[in-house]
Amino acid sequence: MNIKIVEIKNTEDILNLYPKADKAKLEKMRKEIKLDLQDAQDGNRVIFGAQFDNKIIGAGQVIFKTKDNMADGETTAHLHHGRVHKDFRNMGVGTKLVEVREKEAKRRGFKFMTISVEATNRGALRLDRRLGYQEFKRYKGKAGEDLIGLKKEL
């Protein structure tokens, strides 16, 4: 499978990765993605997409400074909103998206990368641990969900 990595600048490309989301959830996500795209324009993040047959099949962000200090703007960047369309999982797309984001952070001089994963997301935890991420904290997310913070030296 020939996957091309592209920089995403379109809200709908990301929303298409959520085919089962209801209208209300999609509208909420649309607003959040627009803020993310503005943050990317301001230089605080890059949003990458995995493209196959001219269609976005996965996406992920690397953020350089976060309010919760998962990324400090100097030494530690943060992986955010990694998502692969269900029809393309377990084909290396997620790995490729993590690797391109790590490469971008390293190119910018970051030494560490963090990621937050819901404790119930076994697939993401398996991938991140396989790629060398190690747990360094557990905490509650904004919606009260149990999160695991993982970190890796780049």
Side-chain angles (χ1 to χ4, degrees), residues 59-76:
Q61 304 178 26
V62 57
I63 305 176
F64 307 116
K65 185 166 179 65
T66 61
K67 292 175 185 171
D68 64 2
N69 289 321
M70 289 296 278
D72 62 14
E74 295 176 18
T75 61
T76 305

Side-chain angles (χ1 to χ4, degrees), residues 7 45-46 48 62 64 77 98-110 113 154:
E7 195 171 330
R45 72 179 73 206
V46 179
F48 290 103
V62 57
F64 307 116
V98 169
E99 290 171 347
V100 74
R101 292 181 285 162
E102 288 177 347
K103 187 176 179 180
E104 179 65 20
K106 198 170 186 177
R107 183 184 74 77
R108 293 174 182 244
F110 289 90
M113 184 74 82
L154 297 175

Side-chain angles (χ1 to χ4, degrees), residues 47-149:
I47 305 171
F48 290 103
Q51 190 178 60
F52 178 69
D53 279 347
N54 292 318
K55 181 180 175 185
I56 297 297
I57 60 169
Q61 304 178 26
V62 57
I63 305 176
F64 307 116
K65 185 166 179 65
T66 61
K67 292 175 185 171
D68 64 2
N69 289 321
M70 289 296 278
D72 62 14
E74 295 176 18
T75 61
T76 305
H78 183 67
L79 294 174
H80 188 62
H81 280 317
R83 177 89 175 172
V84 175
H85 189 281
K86 66 178 182 65
D87 295 342
F88 294 92
R89 292 183 185 151
N90 298 308
M91 297 178 162
V93 178
T95 298
K96 194 165 188 172
L97 282 166
V98 169
E99 290 171 347
V100 74
R101 292 181 285 162
E102 288 177 347
K103 187 176 179 180
E104 179 65 20
K106 198 170 186 177
R107 183 184 74 77
R108 293 174 182 244
F110 289 90
K111 305 292 183 213
F112 300 94
M113 184 74 82
T114 63
I115 185 168
S116 298
V117 180
E118 285 190 37
T120 58
N121 190 340
R122 293 181 187 175
L125 286 167
R126 186 173 53 251
L127 170 67
D128 296 332
R129 287 180 174 138
R130 183 174 54 79
L131 295 176
Y133 287 83
Q134 297 179 349
E135 181 178 332
F136 74 99
K137 72 176 189 173
R138 288 179 180 250
Y139 62 104
K140 295 283 187 189
K142 291 178 190 174
E145 70 278 27
D146 291 323
L147 296 174
I148 298 175

Side-chain angles (χ1 to χ4, degrees), residues 3-57:
I3 297 170
K4 181 179 175 184
I5 298 294
V6 297
E7 195 171 330
I8 291 182
K9 297 183 179 185
N10 180 335
T11 304
E12 298 308 311
D13 284 340
I14 297 172
L15 290 177
N16 289 333
L17 298 172
Y18 298 86
K20 292 186 177 182
D22 64 33
K23 199 172 184 176
K25 182 169 181 164
L26 285 173
E27 196 51 44
K28 181 180 180 220
M29 290 171 60
R30 184 174 280 111
K31 289 177 184 175
E32 291 173 1
I33 293 166
K34 284 182 181 181
L35 291 173
D36 291 349
L37 289 168
Q38 182 59 54
D39 201 37
Q41 277 189 335
D42 294 344
N44 189 46
R45 72 179 73 206
V46 179
I47 305 171
F48 290 103
Q51 190 178 60
F52 178 69
D53 279 347
N54 292 318
K55 181 180 175 185
I56 297 297
I57 60 169

